[in-house]
Amino acid sequence: MKVAAVALVFGAGLGLLPMALRLALPRVVPALEGDLGVLVASAFVGAFGIGLFLATIAILGLEHQQAFSVLSHPGFKHFVRLCVHGDGRIEGWTIGKDDPLGPGEPKVIDHFEWK
């Protein structure tokens, strides 16, 4: 039920986004008035909204497997997860499978750190 509530809020927001941008853009950024401006702004604001949705469900503890869903697709083998710490240090993990269709769970392929 919690997931449905969060998904409903974000789904409604993303669904109404083009209409809201169509009304707001002429006042905020007159140069982006029109369909092309709405399209460009929707791409950026929509991507931010989906990222915010994924972060929200992870922070609330509702779902932690979104990033791993690509591993069920036969074309994906590896992906990288990054963690940016407050002190500027960046850690990264490459997670995947050598044979995406073969048996077995994904594993950490590589771990790296930038200071």
Side-chain angles (χ1 to χ4, degrees):
M1 189 65 175
K2 293 177 186 177
V3 175
V6 174
L8 181 66
V9 170
F10 279 93
L14 287 172
L16 295 172
L17 178 65
M19 183 178 65
L21 288 172
R22 181 72 153 154
L23 295 172
L25 280 177
R27 294 185 188 117
V28 179
V29 185
L32 292 180
E33 183 178 10
D35 292 338
L36 183 60
V38 171
L39 181 67
V40 170
S42 290
F44 288 101
V45 177
F48 178 77
I50 291 172
L52 189 60
F53 169 70
L54 294 175
T56 300
I57 61 175
I59 288 170
L60 295 176
L62 300 175
E63 176 65 57
H64 295 286
Q65 300 299 320
Q66 292 293 331
F68 294 96
S69 64
V70 298
L71 290 175
S72 65
H73 186 281
F76 288 95
K77 291 178 71 172
H78 302 87
F79 65 96
V80 177
R81 298 288 297 201
L82 294 175
C83 178
V84 181
H85 298 276
D87 62 359
R89 184 171 45 99
I90 300 173
E91 285 185 278
W93 297 268
T94 305
I95 303 168
K97 294 174 66 174
D98 290 330
D99 180 8
L101 299 176
E105 295 293 317
K107 61 183 178 180
V108 175
I109 305 297
D110 190 20
H111 173 257
F112 55 90
E113 184 174 338
W114 292 321
K115 294 182 183 182

